[in-house]
Amino acid sequence: MKQKTIDRIRKFTEDRDWNQFHSPANLAKSISIEANELLECFQWSDSDYDIAHVREELADVLVYCRNRLDKLGLDEDEIINEKMSRNEAKYPVDRAKGKADKYYNL
Amino acid sequence: MKQKTIDRIRKFTEDRDWNQFHSPANLAKSISIEANELLECFQWSDSDYDIAHVREELADVLVYCRNRLDKLGLDEDEIINEKMSRNEAKYPVDRAKGKADKYYNL
Amino acid sequence: MKQKTIDRIRKFTEDRDWNQFHSPANLAKSISIEANELLECFQWSDSDYDIAHVREELADVLVYCRNRLDKLGLDEDEIINEKMSRNEAKYPVDRAKGKADKYYNL
Amino acid sequence: MKQKTIDRIRKFTEDRDWNQFHSPANLAKSISIEANELLECFQWSDSDYDIAHVREELADVLVYCRNRLDKLGLDEDEIINEKMSRNEAKYPVDRAKGKADKYYNL
């Protein structure tokens, strides 16, 4: 995400004084709620979806994730790289290739 | 997200040949599932949470969002800015300030 | 659900003094969290699932729904019949038959 | 749930020929989606909620759970009692009383 986009999200929240509602639990609920509005685009079909709607709901998820990163003072690249290191160790290429199994079943 | 982080996520998926599992509906399910693992960190309390766990689950949400952006060829900044324009129109500062109401109740 | 099953769920909660954690928001989170553990059984496949796991996660959803009915003093049959009346009006057989569309698209 | 209510839900689905859409994964998505519409009633507040809305969304969750029980030929009381036996063993009263901890932390 570009710094300009991050700044726009922050300004949106600050201008409306909405930081007071962004408790850790409320933001977690919000991410789940938006994730499920995204899921609703695929409720009955995997292939027949409204791309305009998908764009909108995915954006909502990402905006609340950004709010959460800000709220907890987390760095997006840092937490993702930490997790990717763990994923790479859990799912070695030679055992995980082409399989959707959980790591404890590999 | 830095290009280097994006590339790492893409390589992870490609190395394991996991693109085949990343159908639009499967990724939507995955984002919701991870969002709820994040929510579980706040299931019984808003304030007493395990930050290491939160970092990990938020990273999972973000990685699947990145997979989805890639799958549909979407630009993160573009879809967020589109949505922010809509949000700014729906929630005018003078009416939304300090209120958590839905826009249709403002 | 049989009265004996309902009583067992209530006794479980009372014996552990867990009513204090069952705030309306906490129970809503809990239902979503369990619903997503159920969803995880179908994350990568519609047909290849572990039925023992599905039974367990569906039971968890139903137990938290029962906790919620109790907490708010709601009658299961009453709220479902109210909703079914609304659904029957929203989705007239002649227009909805064989279609998965939302009612406002029918 | 009374047999009459169960029959009404089944007739609703059959009359509309909607069984074809009720794949295991689609029903799992549907339960999660409705659980999150319920969660949305408590997005920003634990105490200030619209009870009419809550009734409706909880009913939706329960209807889809009933569809799922039917689809897989499961008995509600049977799966819940199985799960309650497991819960009672995992959370012994003397250790779990008054604590919201996960069983592996008790």
Side-chain angles (χ1 to χ4, degrees):
Chain A
M1 208 182 291
K2 285 178 189 148
Q3 191 56 46
K4 215 179 136 186
T5 308
I6 295 176
D7 290 342
R8 187 175 181 178
I9 296 174
R10 288 181 182 156
K11 187 173 167 15
F12 179 84
T13 303
E14 279 158 28
D15 283 353
R16 282 152 193 79
D17 197 14
W18 280 0
N19 242 306
Q20 58 181 313
F21 305 121
H22 289 186
S23 75
N26 286 357
L27 287 175
K29 284 182 263 176
S30 301
I31 294 172
S32 173
I33 290 165
E34 298 301 339
N36 275 274
E37 295 187 0
L38 178 62
L39 185 59
E40 203 181 349
C41 300
F42 305 95
Q43 187 171 9
W44 306 115
S45 170
D46 200 3
S47 52
D48 180 21
Y49 53 86
D50 173 354
I51 186 70
H53 198 180
V54 170
R55 291 168 71 100
E56 210 174 321
E57 301 302 346
L58 182 53
D60 280 337
V61 175
L62 288 163
V63 168
Y64 277 124
C65 285
R66 167 48 51 190
N67 289 149
R68 168 161 289 296
L69 289 163
D70 281 356
K71 192 72 184 189
L72 300 179
L74 300 175
D75 180 83
E76 184 182 28
D77 289 279
E78 191 183 300
I79 66 168
I80 292 181
N81 277 291
E82 265 178 31
K83 190 63 209 291
M84 291 310 293
S85 296
R86 227 168 286 136
N87 285 347
E88 286 157 7
K90 276 203 304 192
Y91 298 98
V93 174
D94 60 328
R95 276 191 285 150
K97 196 165 183 172
K99 293 183 202 151
D101 296 311
K102 274 268 167 195
Y103 63 95
Y104 42 77
N105 289 329
L106 287 176
Chain B
M1 209 182 292
K2 284 176 189 150
Q3 191 56 45
K4 215 179 137 186
T5 308
I6 295 176
D7 290 343
R8 187 175 182 178
I9 295 174
R10 287 180 183 159
K11 188 172 165 16
F12 179 83
T13 303
E14 279 159 27
D15 282 354
R16 282 152 193 80
D17 198 15
W18 280 0
N19 241 305
Q20 58 182 312
F21 305 122
H22 289 185
S23 74
N26 286 358
L27 287 176
K29 284 182 263 176
S30 301
I31 294 172
S32 172
I33 291 164
E34 298 300 340
N36 275 272
E37 294 187 1
L38 178 62
L39 185 60
E40 203 181 351
C41 300
F42 305 96
Q43 187 172 8
W44 306 116
S45 169
D46 199 5
S47 51
D48 180 21
Y49 53 89
D50 173 354
I51 186 70
H53 199 182
V54 170
R55 289 169 71 100
E56 211 174 320
E57 301 302 346
L58 181 54
D60 281 336
V61 175
L62 288 163
V63 169
Y64 277 125
C65 284
R66 167 48 53 189
N67 289 150
R68 168 161 289 296
L69 290 163
D70 281 357
K71 193 71 182 189
L72 300 179
L74 300 176
D75 181 82
E76 185 183 27
D77 290 278
E78 191 183 300
I79 66 168
I80 291 181
N81 278 291
E82 266 176 31
K83 192 61 210 286
M84 290 310 292
S85 296
R86 224 167 290 136
N87 285 347
E88 287 158 6
K90 275 205 303 193
Y91 297 97
V93 174
D94 59 328
R95 276 191 286 151
K97 198 165 183 173
K99 295 184 202 150
D101 296 309
K102 274 272 168 194
Y103 64 94
Y104 41 76
N105 289 330
L106 287 176
Chain C
M1 206 183 294
K2 285 176 188 151
Q3 190 56 45
K4 213 178 138 188
T5 309
I6 295 177
D7 290 343
R8 186 174 183 179
I9 295 174
R10 286 182 183 156
K11 186 172 166 16
F12 179 84
T13 303
E14 278 159 28
D15 282 353
R16 280 151 195 80
D17 197 14
W18 280 1
N19 240 307
Q20 59 183 310
F21 305 121
H22 288 187
S23 75
N26 286 358
L27 287 176
K29 283 182 264 177
S30 301
I31 295 172
S32 172
I33 290 165
E34 299 301 340
N36 274 274
E37 294 187 1
L38 178 62
L39 184 61
E40 203 180 350
C41 300
F42 306 96
Q43 187 171 10
W44 305 115
S45 170
D46 199 4
S47 51
D48 179 23
Y49 53 87
D50 174 355
I51 185 70
H53 198 182
V54 170
R55 289 169 72 99
E56 209 173 322
E57 301 303 345
L58 182 54
D60 281 336
V61 175
L62 287 163
V63 169
Y64 277 125
C65 284
R66 168 47 52 189
N67 290 150
R68 168 162 288 297
L69 289 163
D70 282 355
K71 193 72 184 189
L72 301 179
L74 301 176
D75 180 81
E76 187 182 26
D77 289 279
E78 189 182 302
I79 67 167
I80 291 182
N81 278 292
E82 264 177 30
K83 192 60 211 286
M84 291 309 292
S85 297
R86 224 167 291 135
N87 285 346
E88 287 159 7
K90 274 204 304 191
Y91 298 97
V93 174
D94 60 328
R95 275 191 286 151
K97 197 164 184 175
K99 294 185 201 148
D101 295 310
K102 274 271 168 195
Y103 64 94
Y104 41 78
N105 289 328
L106 287 176
Chain D
M1 207 183 293
K2 286 177 188 146
Q3 191 56 46
K4 213 178 136 188
T5 308
I6 295 177
D7 290 342
R8 185 175 184 179
I9 295 175
R10 286 181 183 157
K11 188 171 164 16
F12 179 83
T13 303
E14 279 159 28
D15 282 353
R16 281 153 194 77
D17 197 16
W18 279 0
N19 241 307
Q20 59 183 312
F21 305 121
H22 289 186
S23 75
N26 286 358
L27 287 175
K29 282 181 265 177
S30 301
I31 295 171
S32 172
I33 290 165
E34 298 300 341
N36 275 273
E37 294 187 0
L38 179 61
L39 184 60
E40 203 181 349
C41 300
F42 306 95
Q43 185 170 11
W44 306 116
S45 169
D46 200 2
S47 50
D48 179 22
Y49 52 87
D50 173 356
I51 186 70
H53 198 182
V54 170
R55 289 169 71 100
E56 209 174 324
E57 301 303 345
L58 182 54
D60 280 336
V61 175
L62 288 163
V63 168
Y64 277 124
C65 285
R66 167 48 53 188
N67 291 149
R68 168 163 288 298
L69 290 163
D70 282 355
K71 192 74 185 187
L72 301 178
L74 301 175
D75 180 82
E76 185 182 25
D77 289 280
E78 191 182 301
I79 66 168
I80 291 182
N81 277 291
E82 267 177 31
K83 193 61 211 292
M84 290 310 293
S85 297
R86 224 167 290 133
N87 285 347
E88 286 158 6
K90 276 203 306 193
Y91 298 97
V93 173
D94 60 327
R95 275 190 287 149
K97 197 165 183 173
K99 292 182 203 154
D101 294 310
K102 274 271 167 193
Y103 63 95
Y104 41 77
N105 289 329
L106 287 175

